[in-house]
């Protein structure tokens, strides 16, 4: 029985070791998001998984299923426990290579094997139909196949024998005890006469008076490398229990490499899901919602209450709120022309849209209450950089070169986000150029978000809709950060003050707790 | 080991809940004493050697605590009460400050404290002995610790540290024996469940056999630390490192392992001579680790005993403070009674001869008392003459509520009221008296922070609130807020001059509402009594004007 990958159901190609960061990452703040996701997972080198869209609807569905299974805390925690055990095993194997005392190195290898066996057994039990708390079992194809493979591996004659041998030897070593009598000029090593623990006796006397039980241990010789005294003690112990030490040496010769390749690969790849979910958890706890997008090849773009994930992470830290927005296109609508005041939430809206489509194409849940989106092949972005407004002619040329590259590569399944293009030219020129670009995308039938101050562009095509960053009614200085679909376009003093402190009748009534 | 004099001990079982939350605050209290006890020690012994007292101790100590509690303390003039409870003992004052303002919401706990307090009032000497002994235990232990401060330095050998730690344990065990004597002598005189079970529980824990065993352990450990010969048993752990170390009792030395001398050709295979600096250094490390373990074991018992005495000091200190207060009231011939706490469901506020305890303590004489019999009322609108005793009335009710909910007596001949989850106060301050919108906003901001915390089980006392704007605006704001609070079942007592508001409420005739008025006879004589009565359109400012102008 074979198992390939928990990240894709087809093909077995390994991932390229390094994938370059997609061009849209910086504009969409995906670099911040992915950076935060992988930060605690350095040893697994997850960056390539997040930088490459798999590009197939089957893979996206395959991943969504696995992700959903992993949202079940039992499943997730079982796999985390497995990974932690494997990490320990790897750490121990490292000691088994570097330390000086050969007996110590061998013992670390044995201890690593114990961890490895316990990782395998623990996960196999947890993912078996008996272990799982849900009656229906695992629902994802990926984890079901993995679980079946794991069962076969765990029951294989090879693993069973290895496990029995390892455990037996480990127990034998654990049973060895000795006693050290500390003299002024000597340490005497002898048989442990199995007397009671003296400190325990004292504890027992005082226990009735104590509220919290005492669980301290004696610790000394914290270094991994053994000191001269430890080496001398171990020599004596080895002399006394030579048989066990000889067996250990033989075991090491017989099992030079016991980690299974499939498991090692699974351990790495599954971190893609775990890292994403652990990034989500605090946000969810904080009230931000996520949903699995309904994915299709067809041109759907319907997002309800989507938001910028990087901004959400910042809001969580500062304890502020953000305003989610919808993006609902129907029929042949493809082009969104977004206008409105500066700092009104336009760029945030653009980023949220890009992030949602990117994460959706990765097979992840997206920052939105609900989403039904197409599987995009590439996201092309151009965000103007306000600082270099000075170099005008150079900038227009650079912009046009960028846009040309996008026009040449974009397909009907691309998403194009153009933010404040041509802001340095005259409005007339910007209008004319913008119209031609939008016409191109209309013909290509791809989705495009065009952020501009030229609201006339909204009427440029029947496929275009106008979006506006709204201001408060009656007070155009107050921005609401709401992006509304619409054509581009004052109470008694005491009550007002009371309302300011949430002390109007309605507020007070709502606020008093029960 | 816990005294359980302020709480019944059952609360420890019930997870969560207001009582459990309270308990954690007490624990914070103890640790604060552990830190500050050094400065308390000197004044408490009557040998004040110039420990500076902060100008306003309430603000100083509670800076990190709840602002609303601070305001209630200031508005109800609770500082005077704390001072009276303290009788110059800063520890008692601090204890009162921490216990009194925290409302107990479990009637069982209120009655539990009341019973103990009755016992304490009957046997003040017994309570005082417990308080003194626990104070001594805490302060002697702190003194010992300070004296042996260098104990914690690196240079001191571990064995010596163990010796010193044993000294502290001996000291505390000595106090425990003293406690046992007090308990044996006074046990029979107590009638309250709290003190009876305290005596029997602690008496059992500190049994003769326990004290004997403890002494035996101490002397054995003393000789161990003196000779410094440990026996450690170990096993083989991860990577062949030693693990599962335990100390064995010293018995007759067992022979070393004979290793046959095969590998290294030594005769005494099991003996390692410490003839190398590396070897002896490692041996030292092992020995130290063994002694550190012993030290931790001993320190834990010492710490626990210390915490117990600190808790006992705190809890008996509260009752000691109550006794002090009780003595003052009886000297002034002010009636006190133990209030009847009622469940929150049916609003009730019934009392007789209730006086403002704070005013009595400040003026050192018995003020005029008030009576009220209000059942099913949850909104009290109090109007009437200036200086007619309205604020005093409001404070007396607030103080009685606070006293009841910390398990104390109240200054009345009878008192029945509901248990509330909190008492909040919103009093107009001197600095609020002007009329500008900055002050109104300040007032509303304070109100906002109160509303944030109010629940349908809370009590709110308002004194001349919303008077920092025009009467019309003030009345509008007040009507909105008061009606909303009333409909949400918050108990509100509102002293107000806003006639437009009072009259408006009168016209609306909301249910469960009582109108009270500062009494005034036709000749302008004020009795300082508050009686049921509808609002009148003036507050008799002219009375005051006439009085001042004629006498001046």
């Amino acid at each position: 029985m074979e198992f390939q990958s928990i990240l894709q159901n087809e093909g077995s190609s390994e991932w390229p070791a390094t994938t370059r960061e997609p061009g849209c990452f910086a504009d969409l703040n995906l670099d911040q998001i992915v950076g935060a996701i992988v930060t605690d997972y350095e040893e697994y080198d997850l960056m390539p998984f997040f930088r490459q869209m798999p590009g197939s609807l089957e893979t996206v569905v395959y991943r969504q299923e696995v992700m959903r299974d992993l949202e079940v805390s039992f499943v997730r925690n079982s796999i985390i426990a497995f990974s932690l055990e494997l990490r320990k095993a790897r750490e121990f194997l490292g000691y088994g290579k570097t330390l000086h005392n050969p007996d110590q190195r061998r013992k670390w290898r044995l201890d690593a094997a114990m961890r490895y066996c316990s990782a395998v057994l623990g996960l196999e039990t947890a993912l078996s139909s008996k272990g799982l708390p849900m009656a229906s079992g695992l629902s994802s194809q990926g984890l079901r196949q993995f679980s079946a493979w794991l069962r076969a591996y765990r029951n294989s004659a090879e693993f069973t024998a290895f496990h029995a041998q390892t455990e037996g030897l480990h127990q034998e070593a654990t049973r060895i005890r000795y006693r050290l009598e500390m003299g002024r000029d000597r340490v005497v090593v002898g048989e442990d006469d199995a007397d009671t623990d003296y400190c325990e006796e004292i504890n027992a006397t005082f226990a009735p008076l104590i509220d919290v039980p005492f669980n301290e241990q004696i610790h000394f010789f914290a270094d991994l490398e053994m000191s001269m005294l430890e080496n001398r003690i171990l020599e004596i112990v080895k002399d006394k229990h030579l048989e066990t030490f000889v067996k250990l040496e033989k075991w090491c010769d017989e099992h030079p490499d016991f980690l299974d390749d499939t498991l090692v690969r699974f351990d790495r790849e599954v971190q893609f899901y775990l890292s994403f979910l652990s990034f989500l958890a605090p946000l969810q706890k904080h009230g931000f919602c996520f949903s699995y997008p309904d994915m299709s090849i067809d041109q759907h773009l319907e997002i309800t209450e989507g938001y910028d994930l990087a901004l959400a992470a910042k809001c969580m830290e500062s304890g502020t709120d953000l305003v989610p927005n919808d993006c609902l296109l129907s029929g042949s609508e493809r082009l969104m022309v977004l206008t409105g005041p500066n700092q009104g939430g336009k760029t945030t809206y653009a980023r949220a849209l890009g992030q949602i489509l990117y994460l959706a194409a990765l097979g992840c849940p997206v920052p939105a209450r609900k989403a039904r989106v197409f599987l995009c092949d590439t996201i092309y972005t151009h965000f103007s950089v306000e600082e270099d407004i000075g170099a005008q002619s150079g900038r227009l040329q650079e912009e046009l070169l960028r846009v040309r590259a996008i026009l040449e590569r974009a397909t009907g399944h691309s998403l194009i986000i153009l933010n404040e293009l041509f802001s340095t030219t005259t409005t007339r020129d910007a209008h004319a150029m913008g119209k031609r670009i939008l016409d191109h995308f209309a013909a290509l039938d791809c989705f495009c978000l065009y952020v501009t101050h030229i609201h006339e562009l909204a009427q440029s095509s029947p496929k275009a809709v106008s979006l506006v960053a709204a201001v408060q009614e009656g007070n155009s200085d107050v921005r609401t950060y709401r992006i509304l679909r619409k054509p581009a376009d004052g109470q008694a003093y005491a009550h007002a003050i009371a309302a300011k402190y949430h002390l109007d009748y309605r507020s007070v009534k709502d606020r008093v707790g029960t | 080991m816990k005294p359980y004099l302020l709480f019944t001990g059952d609360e420890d079982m019930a997870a969560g809940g207001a009582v459990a939350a309270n308990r954690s605050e007490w624990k914070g209290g103890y640790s604060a004493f552990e830190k500050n006890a050094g400065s308390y020690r000197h004044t408490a012994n009557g040998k004040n050697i110039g420990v500076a007292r902060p100008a306003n101790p309430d603000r100083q100590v509670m800076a990190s605590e709840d602002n609303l509690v601070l305001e209630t303390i200031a508005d109800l003039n609770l500082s005077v009460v704390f001072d009276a409870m303290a009788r110059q003992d800063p520890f008692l004052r601090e204890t009162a400050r921490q216990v009194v303002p925290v409302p107990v919401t479990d009637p069982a706990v209120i009655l539990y404290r009341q019973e103990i307090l009755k016992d304490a009032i009957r046997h003040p000497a017994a309570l005082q002995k417990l308080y003194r002994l626990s104070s001594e235990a805490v302060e002697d232990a702190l003194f010992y610790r300070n004296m042996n401060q260098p104990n914690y330095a690196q240079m001191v050998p571990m064995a010596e540290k163990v010796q010193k730690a044993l000294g502290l344990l001996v000291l505390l065990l000595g106090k425990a024996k003293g406690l046992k004597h007090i308990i044996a002598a006074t046990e029979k005189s107590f009638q309250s469940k709290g003190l009876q079970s305290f005596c029997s529980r602690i008496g059992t824990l500190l049994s003769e056999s326990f004290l004997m065993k403890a002494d035996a352990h101490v002397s054995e450990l003393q000789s161990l630390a003196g000779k410094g010969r440990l026996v450690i048993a170990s096993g083989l752990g991860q990577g062949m490192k030693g693990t599962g170390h335990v100390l064995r009792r010293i018995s007759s030395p067992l022979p070393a392992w004979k290793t046959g001398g095969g590998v290294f050709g030594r005769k005494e295979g099991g003996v390692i001579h410490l003839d190398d600096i590396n070897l002896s250094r490692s041996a030292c490390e092992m020995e130290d680790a063994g002694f550190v373990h012993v030290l931790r074991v001993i320190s834990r018992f010492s710490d626990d005993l210390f915490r117990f005495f600190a808790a006992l000091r705190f809890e008996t200190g509260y009752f000691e403070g109550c006794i002090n207060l009780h003595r003052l009231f009886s000297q002034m011939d002010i009636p006190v009674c133990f209030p009847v706490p009622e469940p929150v469901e049916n609003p009730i506020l019934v009392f007789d001869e209730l006086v403002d305890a704070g005013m009595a303590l400040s003026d050192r004489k018995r003020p005029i008392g008030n009576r009220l019999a209000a059942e099913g009322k949850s909104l009290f609108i109090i109007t009437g003459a200036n200086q007619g005793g309205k604020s005093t009335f409001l404070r007396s009710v607030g103080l009685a509520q606070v006293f009841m909910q910390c398990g104390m007596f109240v200054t009345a001949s009878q008192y029945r009221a509901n248990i509330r989850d909190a008492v909040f106060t919103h009093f107009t301050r001197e600095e609020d008296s002007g009329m500008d919108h900055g002050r109104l906003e300040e007032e509303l901001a304070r109100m906002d922070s109160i509303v944030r915390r109010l629940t349908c089980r809370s009590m709110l006392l308002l004194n001349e609130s919303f008077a920092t704007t025009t009467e019309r605006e003030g009345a509008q704001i007040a009507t909105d807020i008061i009606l909303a609070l009333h409909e949400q079942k918050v108990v509100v007592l509102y002293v107000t001059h806003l006639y437009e508001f009072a009259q408006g409420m009168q016209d609306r005739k909301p249910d469960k509402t009582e109108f009270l008025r500062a009494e005034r006879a036709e000749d302008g004589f004020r009795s300082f009594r508050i009686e049921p009565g509808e609002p009148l359109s003036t507050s008799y400012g002219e009375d005051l004007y006439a009085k001042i102008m004629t006498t001046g």
Side-chain angles (χ1 to χ4, degrees):
Chain A
M1 187 180 232
E2 289 266 302
F3 179 80
Q4 292 297 350
S5 169
I6 197 67
L7 288 175
Q8 54 197 5
N9 59 340
E10 55 207 6
S12 61
S13 62
E14 283 288 337
W15 290 77
T18 52
T19 315
R20 278 182 51 210
E21 186 176 278
C24 65
F25 257 45
D27 282 343
L28 298 179
N29 283 351
L30 275 166
D31 53 347
Q32 294 174 22
I33 296 168
V34 171
I37 291 172
V38 303
T39 184
D40 290 334
Y41 294 79
E42 212 162 299
E43 65 185 289
Y44 298 106
D45 184 25
L46 299 180
M47 210 51 123
F49 301 156
F50 284 100
R51 285 180 175 174
Q52 194 180 336
M53 297 199 271
S56 111
L57 196 61
E58 286 75 37
T59 300
V60 169
V61 172
Y62 182 82
R63 288 184 181 188
Q64 282 191 355
E65 285 175 5
V66 173
M67 191 79 88
R68 278 180 202 269
D69 263 345
L70 287 170
E71 285 211 54
V72 179
S73 60
F74 176 84
V75 178
R76 189 174 62 249
N77 291 337
S78 306
I79 291 182
I80 290 173
F82 163 82
S83 287
L84 290 177
E85 287 285 85
L86 270 199
R87 185 187 279 196
K88 273 284 172 205
R90 278 196 298 271
E91 184 190 334
F92 290 180
L93 283 176
Y95 303 149
K97 289 197 183 95
T98 53
L99 294 175
H100 284 99
N101 183 323
D103 288 316
Q104 222 195 338
R105 287 204 301 270
R106 290 180 198 121
K107 183 63 169 39
W108 276 123
R109 291 189 59 80
L110 181 70
D111 293 330
M114 281 300 285
R115 292 298 184 123
Y116 175 71
C117 289
S118 107
V120 170
L121 296 176
L123 190 60
E124 198 277 327
T125 311
L127 298 187
S128 70
S129 52
K130 272 186 203 157
L132 287 167
M134 332 68 109
S136 53
L138 296 163
S139 38
S140 67
Q141 186 197 350
L143 279 175
R144 276 207 312 271
Q145 283 172 354
F146 172 73
S147 159
W149 174 86
L150 185 61
R151 193 175 322 126
Y153 174 71
R154 183 245 179 280
N155 291 328
S156 67
E158 196 189 352
F159 179 81
T160 317
F162 172 71
H163 174 230
Q165 205 185 351
T166 304
E167 196 165 40
L169 190 52
H170 186 263
Q171 276 172 4
E172 196 174 318
T174 306
R175 274 196 297 271
I176 297 176
R177 285 193 69 79
Y178 51 93
R179 190 204 57 189
L180 304 165
E181 200 173 298
M182 310 301 298
R184 186 144 304 159
D185 57 353
R186 65 181 59 189
V187 175
V188 181
V189 187
E191 194 68 29
D192 184 23
D193 55 356
D195 196 354
T196 48
D197 181 342
Y198 181 36
C199 288
E200 269 312 308
E201 281 180 46
I202 308 175
N203 270 323
T205 304
F206 285 88
L209 277 67
I210 302 279
D211 301 324
V212 189
F214 184 78
N215 285 321
E216 297 276 356
Q217 302 277 318
I218 302 178
H219 293 289
F220 46 80
F221 301 143
D223 283 355
L224 282 172
E225 284 284 2
M226 295 208 288
S227 67
M228 197 170 166
L229 182 60
E230 283 176 282
N231 275 319
R232 295 282 277 276
I233 295 170
L234 189 61
E235 277 166 18
I236 294 166
V237 174
K238 180 176 180 176
D239 232 19
K240 188 77 186 172
H241 297 273
L242 198 55
E243 202 186 327
T244 309
F245 282 68
V246 171
K247 267 194 219 164
L248 177 59
E249 198 173 340
K250 193 162 154 269
W251 179 91
C252 281
D253 292 342
E254 283 168 10
H255 305 286
D257 187 16
F258 48 80
L259 298 181
D260 182 89
D261 290 342
T262 305
L263 269 180
V264 170
R265 180 173 175 186
F266 173 82
D267 178 43
R268 179 187 169 208
E269 290 184 343
V270 79
Q271 306 301 324
F272 167 78
Y273 303 99
L274 296 177
S275 63
F276 194 81
L277 288 173
S278 84
F279 176 75
L280 249 57
L283 288 158
Q284 276 173 321
K285 212 171 158 193
H286 211 257
F288 292 107
C289 60
F290 290 88
S291 61
Y292 287 90
D294 181 358
M295 301 292 290
S296 67
I297 300 292
D298 305 331
Q299 300 286 63
H300 292 296
L301 187 55
E302 297 160 26
I303 299 166
T304 312
E305 293 187 29
Y307 57 92
D308 177 348
L309 197 49
L311 184 63
K314 279 195 192 116
C315 286
M316 185 175 65
E317 273 170 33
S318 61
T320 47
D321 283 340
L322 55 68
V323 178
N325 276 299
D326 297 343
C327 176
L328 301 165
L329 296 189
S330 57
S332 64
E333 293 167 347
R334 295 289 178 270
L335 313 174
M336 293 170 275
V337 177
L338 173 54
T339 55
N342 292 328
Q343 318 284 313
K346 291 178 300 194
T347 299
T348 299
Y349 185 81
R351 286 199 178 118
L353 175 67
Q355 289 168 11
I356 288 169
L357 284 181
Y358 189 86
L359 293 173
L362 279 186
C364 296
V366 299
R369 183 165 301 282
K370 215 174 111 186
R372 182 183 187 211
V373 300
F374 69 103
L375 177 70
C376 70
D377 55 8
T378 318
I379 298 175
Y380 295 102
T381 58
H382 180 78
F383 281 41
S384 76
V385 188
E386 282 179 23
E387 295 89 81
D388 18 285
I389 271 171
Q392 291 203 358
S393 60
R395 181 151 171 228
L396 180 61
Q397 192 181 339
E398 183 265 340
E399 278 184 340
L400 287 169
L401 287 171
R402 283 283 301 275
V403 171
R404 191 181 74 184
I406 295 173
L407 294 181
E408 281 167 2
R409 288 183 204 150
T411 74
H413 288 95
S414 303
L415 172 71
I416 292 110
I417 300 176
L418 300 172
N419 190 359
E420 302 283 5
L421 207 57
F422 308 135
S423 55
T424 54
T425 60
T426 62
T427 305
R428 225 187 87 140
D429 284 356
H431 184 195
M433 291 188 285
K435 171 109 176 55
R436 287 171 65 184
I437 290 169
L438 286 171
D439 285 348
H440 179 91
F441 292 139
L444 202 57
D445 201 37
C446 66
F447 285 103
C448 172
L449 174 65
Y450 196 92
V451 181
T452 180
H453 57 281
I454 306 163
H455 47 81
E456 288 86 352
L457 283 173
Q459 281 102 48
S460 63
S461 149
K463 287 186 173 180
V465 299
S466 170
L467 299 178
V468 176
V471 291
Q472 202 176 70
E473 234 173 284
N475 185 354
S476 57
D477 287 345
V478 181
R479 299 172 175 86
T480 63
Y481 305 106
R482 273 186 209 294
I483 307 297
L484 302 178
R485 217 179 132 149
K486 65 176 182 185
D489 55 340
Q491 188 171 45
Y493 187 71
H495 280 120
I497 291 193
K500 178 176 161 192
Y501 291 97
H502 314 286
L503 291 173
D504 52 291
Y505 171 77
R506 196 62 254 170
S507 304
V508 172
K509 246 192 125 165
D510 290 344
R511 288 173 70 192
V512 173
T514 47
Chain B
M1 193 157 80
K2 285 175 185 156
Y4 291 128
L5 294 178
L6 289 178
F7 290 94
T8 61
D10 301 338
E11 305 86 2
D12 279 2
M13 305 295 162
V19 178
N22 286 347
R23 278 202 76 81
S24 65
E25 286 178 36
W26 305 112
K27 280 176 191 151
Y30 301 147
S31 61
F33 289 125
E34 287 171 31
K35 275 187 227 129
N36 297 330
S39 61
Y40 285 117
R41 204 163 57 79
H42 303 297
T43 45
N45 289 351
K47 288 178 273 179
N48 196 330
I49 53 167
V51 180
R53 297 255 323 258
N56 184 343
D58 293 336
R59 299 251 159 214
Q60 190 76 21
V61 190
M62 288 180 70
S64 63
E65 293 182 32
D66 194 327
N67 259 328
L68 294 181
V69 175
L70 278 181
E71 294 196 356
T72 306
I73 288 175
D75 290 341
L76 297 180
N77 205 5
L78 268 165
S79 293
V80 180
V81 176
F82 300 154
D83 288 338
M85 289 174 79
R87 272 184 80 193
Q88 313 293 324
D89 180 343
F91 182 88
L92 286 185
R93 190 183 194 287
E94 177 61 17
T95 305
R97 193 192 61 73
Q98 289 193 42
V99 179
V100 174
V102 179
V104 175
T105 50
D106 181 353
V109 174
I110 293 178
L111 296 175
Y112 183 80
R113 289 189 191 180
Q114 285 186 359
E115 289 306 308
I116 294 177
L117 183 51
K118 285 175 194 166
D119 251 350
I121 291 169
R122 275 194 297 268
H123 307 289
L127 237 286
Q128 194 168 44
K129 270 187 202 152
L130 288 175
Y131 173 65
R132 289 235 173 106
L133 176 92
S134 48
S135 299
E136 271 169 31
V138 169
E139 298 188 357
D140 291 357
L142 286 169
F143 185 70
Y144 185 93
R145 228 177 248 183
N146 288 343
M147 284 288 287
N148 292 297
Q149 207 60 16
N151 195 10
Y152 300 102
Q154 290 276 326
M155 305 289 289
V156 182
M158 279 319 292
E160 198 174 310
K161 293 186 184 182
V162 171
Q163 294 276 25
K164 298 219 164 125
L166 283 168
L168 182 61
L169 184 58
V170 168
L171 187 157
L172 288 165
L173 282 171
K175 299 296 177 191
K177 286 170 195 162
L179 176 61
K180 197 169 157 62
H181 284 133
I182 297 177
I183 288 174
T186 52
E187 191 168 19
K188 299 229 164 53
S189 51
F190 293 133
Q191 288 166 27
S192 64
K193 183 175 156 246
L195 280 169
Q196 275 178 355
S197 74
F198 167 79
C199 289
S200 76
R201 210 157 26 82
I202 301 302
T204 312
L205 282 176
L206 302 175
S207 66
E208 285 305 326
S209 82
F210 162 75
L211 291 168
M212 265 169 62
K213 268 193 223 160
D215 285 346
H217 278 305
V218 167
S219 56
E220 190 171 349
L221 284 167
Q222 271 165 341
S223 77
L224 176 67
K227 292 198 199 106
R229 201 176 159 81
L230 291 175
V231 177
I232 299 169
S234 306
L236 282 185
Q238 288 183 336
M240 295 287 182
K241 298 283 287 184
T243 189
H245 312 295
V246 293
L247 289 188
R248 296 288 188 229
R249 216 163 186 152
I250 318 161
S251 47
S252 54
L254 291 172
W257 270 341
K258 296 276 188 284
T259 56
V263 188
F264 302 100
R266 279 194 306 272
K267 270 191 242 159
E268 285 182 288
V271 177
I272 301 165
H273 294 279
L274 304 176
D275 46 14
D276 182 291
I277 182 78
N278 280 317
L279 289 176
S280 52
R281 207 177 276 155
S282 299
C284 257
E285 186 187 337
M286 287 173 64
E287 217 164 31
D288 279 0
F291 277 125
V292 163
H293 189 65
V294 171
L295 193 63
R296 274 195 299 240
V297 171
I298 304 170
S299 306
R300 248 183 65 94
F301 305 134
S302 298
D303 288 352
D304 260 52
L305 273 174
F306 179 83
R307 263 195 296 274
F308 167 74
F309 280 119
L312 184 62
R313 182 193 199 191
F314 184 77
E315 303 196 12
T316 53
Y318 166 70
F319 293 105
E320 182 75 3
C322 294
I323 295 173
N324 289 339
L325 196 58
H326 188 265
R327 200 173 289 133
L328 281 175
F329 288 139
S330 43
Q331 280 163 12
M332 285 185 269
D333 197 25
I334 290 170
V336 297
C337 70
F338 280 92
V340 183
E342 300 276 353
V344 79
E345 285 75 26
N346 303 310
I348 183 166
L349 190 57
V350 175
F351 52 75
D352 203 356
E353 295 186 76
L354 174 68
V355 303
D356 177 356
M359 181 186 251
L361 292 168
S362 311
D363 299 355
R364 296 275 154 185
K365 65 173 188 200
R366 179 177 175 174
I368 288 163
N370 273 300
R371 61 185 305 175
L372 183 70
E375 293 198 38
K377 304 284 162 89
S378 63
L379 173 59
F380 298 87
I381 293 169
I382 305 147
T383 58
N386 275 325
Q387 300 195 350
K390 299 193 299 291
S391 300
T392 306
F393 175 81
L394 196 63
R395 260 194 284 270
S396 69
V397 174
L399 275 177
Q401 187 73 27
V402 169
F403 281 15
M404 178 175 89
Q405 293 207 235
C406 67
M408 227 201 316
F409 45 76
V410 301
T411 47
S413 59
Q414 68 146 320
Y415 197 91
R416 283 171 69 197
N418 307 97
I419 295 172
R420 300 274 150 203
D421 62 359
V423 177
F424 295 105
T425 53
H426 188 266
F427 281 32
T428 296
R429 307 280 168 71
E430 293 278 312
E431 63 264 32
D432 289 340
S433 56
M435 275 231 302
D436 70 54
H437 279 116
R439 294 204 173 120
L440 176 64
E441 295 218 15
E442 187 277 334
E443 219 189 329
L444 290 176
R446 258 195 302 137
M447 192 67 204
D448 175 33
S449 64
I450 292 172
V451 172
R452 194 169 295 158
R453 300 267 299 276
L454 279 175
T455 77
C456 59
R457 292 172 298 279
S458 309
M459 176 186 254
L460 174 61
L461 308 177
L462 299 152
N463 195 4
E464 303 286 9
S465 302
F466 320 119
T468 50
T469 181
T470 61
E471 176 158 5
R472 173 137 310 163
E473 277 184 349
Q476 273 176 7
I477 294 172
T479 307
D480 272 8
I481 295 176
I482 301 299
L483 272 181
L485 294 178
H486 184 51
E487 283 164 26
Q488 294 303 85
K489 301 204 169 94
V490 178
V491 165
V492 178
L493 281 83
Y494 185 14
V495 166
T496 184
H497 277 117
L498 296 171
Y499 176 72
E500 213 175 297
F501 160 78
Q503 188 57 50
M505 292 302 280
Q506 178 92 29
D507 296 344
R508 278 171 193 271
K509 297 205 190 322
D511 58 354
K512 299 185 179 172
T513 303
E514 180 97 331
F515 290 90
L516 299 173
R517 208 171 62 206
E519 199 189 62
R520 177 186 177 270
E522 286 301 311
D523 57 0
F525 170 76
R526 292 164 215 283
S527 67
F528 298 104
R529 282 191 203 280
I530 307 295
E531 302 277 351
E534 297 181 350
L536 298 176
S537 69
T538 71
S539 280
Y540 300 92
E542 61 265 40
D543 281 3
L544 188 62
Y545 182 88
K547 187 179 166 192
I548 287 171
M549 290 309 164
T550 51
T551 52

